[in-house]
Structure formats: C-alpha cells, structure tokens
C-alpha cells in the first residue's frame, strides 16, 4: 500500500488560512469515509485533529476543518496561529489497515 | 486520565529480536482496537499492525514490511499490548507508538519507545 500524497510544505501568515491536500486512490481515500488528520510537533506524539473526514474531536479548535472529494481529502486551518506550526499527516482506511500520507510541514510566517 | 505508556525499546543488532510493551490506563482496554505505528527518524508515519478487541475476534493485521517477522498480542487481564519483533532489519529503526483505533482515527497515543537496529 503506497503512502498517500501530500505537499511537502505549506505556509501562511498569522490569521490567514492554509489548506493541505491528501491524494489517494479508490482503494483508500476514495473508498472510505475513514480519513483522519494528525498534527505532530517536533519530538512529540501525533495528535488527532480530524476523524471521519470532517469530525473534530473534543478540544480541537474549530479553526481546523476537513473535507473530501473523490480520491482527495483536504485539511484547512483557518486563522493561523503560531502554535499551528507543525507537521500534518493524513490517514485513510484501506479495508484492512490504515495508510498515512507523506506529511506536510506547515510554517507560520 | 487516559494514558498509553510504551516500553522495551533499545539498541539491537540486525537479525535480533525485541519485545515492546504498551500499558493502558483510563480506558476500557478489553473493547479497544490497538495499533502499533512507527516513525523512522525524520520520516513519516507507518502502520505496523493492529489487533482487534477479543469481542470482535481478536484478529491481527500487519503491514507488508513486517509481516512474518512481527507479532502483536494483548493481555486484557493486564491492560497490556505487545509487539514481538524478530529478524530485525536496519530499516526497522524507528520510534514505535501504540495507539487506539476509534471510528476511523487514532485518538490516543503513547509517547513512543525508540528502537535502534544497528551493528
């Protein structure tokens, strides 16, 4: 199972929005609504930010939103804040296990 | 407080074996589907394998790179998850996380334990 494709980097100024794409196939992203997104700060464990394409777990700011169209899922961070600077990974169910994306480093300018 | 704590990582020679543990607290472990995820230094996340709750059959699935070499098990009486790793390769060097699978996402993560395979 190949990793889902994400852009290596994305950036925005404080207060702006940034959108990260996550492209897979009909066998993963396109076939299931079990797409999730994770935030990872250096030296820390990943943190679940979005599950089931667009659901925010308790405690995750509503600045974070998710969507999906066909084989591509997206994470949008609105109103960027300094603490949003981190690596972001998408993940999708594949019918057995899960596959992760290649990761995107978000920089707050 | 819900918590997962991994242990057992360390330095091992290629071809060697190692057993990782994950102690769970604050959750109903018997109902949890548990997954091991690893991250090589400077690289992305990779699913190692998963074990379902016994009530759902307790079956395991493994990623292609580790199939036949790694074994996941659980001891519900101890709220513990295990990862037995054998025939270790240099490319197995990574931080290993245990995590709970819930509604299509991994919602609880441990702090990770580092496995280094080197001669």
């Amino acid at each position: 199972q190949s990793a889902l494709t994400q852009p290596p980097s994305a950036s925005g100024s404080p207060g702006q929005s940034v959108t990260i794409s996550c492209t897979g196939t009909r066998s993963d992203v396109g076939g299931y609504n079990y797409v999730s997104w994770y935030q990872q700060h250096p030296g820390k464990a990943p943190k679940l930010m979005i599950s089931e394409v667009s659901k925010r777990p308790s405690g995750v700011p509503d600045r974070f939103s998710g969507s999906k169209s066909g084989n591509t899922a997206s994470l949008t961070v609105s109103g960027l804040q300094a603490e949003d600077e981190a690596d972001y990974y998408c993940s999708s169910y594949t019918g057995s296990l899960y596959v992760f994306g290649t990761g995107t480093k978000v920089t707050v300018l | 407080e819900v918590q997962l704590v991994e242990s057992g990582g360390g330095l091992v020679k290629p071809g060697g074996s190692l057993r990782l543990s994950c102690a769970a607290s604050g959750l109903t472990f018997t109902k949890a589907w548990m997954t091991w995820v690893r991250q090589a230094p400077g690289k992305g996340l990779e699913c190692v394998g998963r074990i379902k709750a016994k009530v759902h059959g307790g079956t395991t699935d493994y990623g292609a790179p580790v199939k036949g070499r790694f074994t996941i098990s659980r001891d519900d009486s101890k709220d513990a998850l295990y990862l037995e790793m054998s025939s270790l390769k240099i490319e197995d060097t990574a931080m290993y996380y245990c995590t709970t699978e819930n509604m299509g996402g991994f919602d609880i993560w441990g702090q990770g334990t580092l496995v280094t395979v080197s001669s």
Side-chain angles (χ1 to χ4, degrees):
Chain A
Q1 188 77 37
S2 298
L4 307 175
T5 301
Q6 297 180 232
S9 62
S11 62
S13 299
Q16 289 187 332
S17 295
V18 65
T19 296
I20 304 166
S21 62
C22 169
T23 302
T25 68
R26 287 186 302 175
S27 297
D28 37 63
V29 175
Y32 306 93
N33 284 326
Y34 284 155
V35 175
S36 51
W37 289 89
Y38 303 86
Q39 177 191 66
Q40 187 179 34
H41 288 110
K44 300 294 187 182
K47 175 186 175 184
L48 178 66
M49 304 302 283
I50 296 286
S51 66
E52 296 182 80
V53 177
S54 59
K55 296 182 179 179
R56 270 190 320 276
S58 174
V60 173
D62 59 7
R63 303 184 292 103
F64 291 85
S65 61
S67 63
K68 189 185 88 166
S69 177
N71 297 336
T72 299
S74 298
L75 173 73
T76 297
V77 186
S78 306
L80 267 175
Q81 298 184 4
E83 59 262 36
D84 299 333
E85 185 161 296
D87 292 326
Y88 290 83
Y89 295 91
C90 62
S91 177
S92 174
Y93 185 58
T94 66
S96 55
L97 281 181
Y98 288 76
V99 62
F100 285 95
T102 49
T104 299
K105 182 174 180 57
V106 170
T107 301
V108 181
L109 302 171
Chain B
E1 180 194 5
V2 179
Q3 198 172 12
L4 298 173
V5 179
E6 303 93 337
S7 61
L11 175 63
V12 61
K13 288 181 167 48
S17 300
L18 205 59
R19 186 201 203 201
L20 306 184
S21 300
C22 171
S25 59
L27 67 147
T28 307
F29 186 76
T30 53
K31 295 183 179 179
W33 290 29
M34 301 298 298
T35 295
W36 286 98
V37 174
R38 69 182 180 183
Q39 186 171 34
K43 302 296 185 183
L45 302 169
E46 179 186 28
C47 242
V48 173
R50 176 242 271 132
I51 186 166
K52 296 180 181 178
K54 282 194 167 62
V55 70
H56 296 120
T59 55
T60 51
D61 289 288
Y62 298 94
V66 307
K67 206 166 187 177
R69 299 188 298 123
F70 289 13
T71 301
I72 297 173
S73 61
R74 62 191 299 158
D75 185 340
D76 289 351
S77 69
K78 297 181 178 178
D79 289 351
L81 175 73
Y82 303 104
L83 178 64
E84 296 270 5
M85 304 183 293
S86 63
S87 302
L88 282 162
K89 305 175 182 180
I90 290 176
E91 52 264 40
D92 294 319
T93 294
M95 184 70 77
Y96 284 74
Y97 298 98
C98 67
T99 179
T100 54
E101 180 184 332
N102 188 20
M103 297 305 291
F106 301 111
D107 54 351
I108 305 167
W109 294 71
Q111 84 290 346
T113 187
L114 182 63
V115 173
T116 302
V117 184
S118 174
S119 54

